[in-house]
Amino acid sequence: MAVSVRSFAKINVGLAIGAKRDDGFHALRTIYQTIAIHDVIKVDAQRGTGGTGIEIRCKDTRVPDDESNTCYRVADRVLRSMKERAKVVIQIEKNLPVQGGIGGGSSNAIATMFALERALKVELAPSERLRIASEVGSDLPLFLLGGTVLGCGRGEEVYPLPDLPPLACVVITPAVAVSTPQAFRDWDAMVAAGSADGNASSGRELTQSGAFDTMTKFSHAAFEWLSGKSLSGVPAESGDRAETLLLDLVRAGIENDFERVVFSQIPELRDLKRALEREGASYSSLSGSGSTLYGFFRSLQAAEEAVEHLRAAGIAALATETLPRSSYREQMFV
């Protein structure tokens, strides 16, 4: 039985990097938010005919078709957990950037999990889904939930947050890849130098204890933003809630720490963030370690107009919306 699943992207609304842990990973705090742009994963699973094994098919040559593919790794674990033997063919229709900071590969893997469950008519326990997702990658678990999600630990500890209303969003996907391991190494070098923003004259020192303070400040700002206590002076229950959220997001000062190292290494990305701001983005940011950037706009019409201007300037951009949790699950199966 073949099953097709939409594999939605995510963005990070803020990301705070903490100290390196004993396991070599960095402690993180972030708010994940699913958005409507997506790949499509089609899984065909047959028991008892045509042998066994897992096959990956994708027209995009940048996508690995061997055991290193996250879809393969998840499918292998799912089959072992189910104690099933089957021939599994996974077709990936790739629309999202391969290394863009919007979780394309991780989302593909979770879409594979859901599709394989439906194809084989076996449903894993939620705890087993989480175990498999956490083993394969840090940002896979968020796609088990969708919507607005708090990420802790190395990003794999996820907690559903009250969903935001749909927010218009412009996504820029530059043709440049950012190495996440290198971004972390650059961050560690900056921590060792004692400067949180690469500017010694700023007086903002980032020691290991300072890294903890950075995460604490992020948590407080995120709580104030999402708690419904308006920072903008506009009562949260009055007027346009989405517009109030945008105003409060700016005032909360929620930032992505990766910008402090990635922008200095790839100035083009800083320029693209500024381009979003010039086009009227209420809030703009790098997603994850990049290279994708996004901006929130007050309306879908404003976002579409910004895309027109950006494309005219030779910038690859598209308009979309954030995807609440209920819509994420409802729209998943094609």
Side-chain angles (χ1 to χ4, degrees), residues 167-170 297-307 319-321:
L167 298 173
C169 183
V170 171
F297 285 75
R298 296 181 185 276
S299 69
L300 191 55
Q301 180 181 348
E304 290 171 345
E305 290 174 355
V307 165
T320 186
E321 285 187 311

Side-chain angles (χ1 to χ4, degrees), residues 9-126:
K10 63 84 179 171
I11 53 176
N12 296 81
V13 184
L15 190 153
I17 306 173
K20 185 177 285 190
R21 311 185 323 175
D22 291 341
D23 61 5
F25 290 96
H26 289 74
L28 299 176
R29 294 285 187 279
T30 189
I31 297 172
Y32 297 115
Q33 175 63 57
T34 47
I35 58 177
I37 57 175
H38 59 274
D39 294 333
V40 176
I41 306 299
K42 183 177 180 180
V43 174
D44 188 10
Q46 301 290 335
R47 295 185 181 95
T49 59
T52 61
I54 300 168
E55 181 182 349
I56 304 291
R57 298 176 183 173
C58 184
K59 293 180 180 178
D60 191 326
T61 57
R62 296 171 299 171
V63 176
D65 60 2
D66 57 12
E67 293 88 345
S68 66
N69 187 291
T70 52
C71 296
Y72 187 107
R73 294 164 63 196
V74 162
D76 179 59
R77 285 167 169 80
V78 168
L79 290 173
R80 284 191 274 127
S81 178
M82 292 177 174
K83 297 180 172 57
E84 291 278 0
R85 292 175 60 82
K87 174 64 177 179
V88 177
V89 177
I90 303 167
Q91 297 184 50
I92 303 172
E93 180 185 313
K94 202 70 188 165
N95 304 306
L96 303 175
V98 175
Q99 287 182 299
I102 55 176
S106 299
S107 177
N108 291 172
I110 296 301
T112 297
M113 178 186 291
F114 286 131
L116 193 52
E117 285 185 354
R118 181 166 288 196
L120 294 174
K121 296 182 173 60
V122 179
E123 188 170 305
L124 295 174

Side-chain angles (χ1 to χ4, degrees), residues 127-167:
S127 59
E128 186 65 1
R129 290 173 179 164
L130 180 59
R131 180 192 68 80
I132 292 170
S134 299
E135 283 182 3
V136 175
S138 296
D139 61 356
L140 270 72
L142 82 97
F143 292 106
L144 295 172
L145 297 173
T148 310
V149 178
L150 175 66
C152 302
R154 54 181 168 83
E156 89 291 1
E157 296 177 25
V158 291
Y159 306 93
L161 294 171
D163 252 339
L164 304 180
L167 298 173

Side-chain angles (χ1 to χ4, degrees), residues 212-249:
F212 176 79
D213 292 339
T214 297
M215 292 212 302
T216 301
K217 290 176 182 177
F218 172 84
S219 297
H220 289 169
F223 175 78
E224 289 189 9
W225 174 47
L226 295 170
S227 67
K229 178 182 177 182
S230 177
L231 304 174
S232 62
V234 179
E237 65 275 7
S238 70
D240 186 338
R241 180 170 175 247
E243 183 171 347
T244 302
L245 280 165
L246 289 177
L247 289 170
D248 287 347
L249 177 56

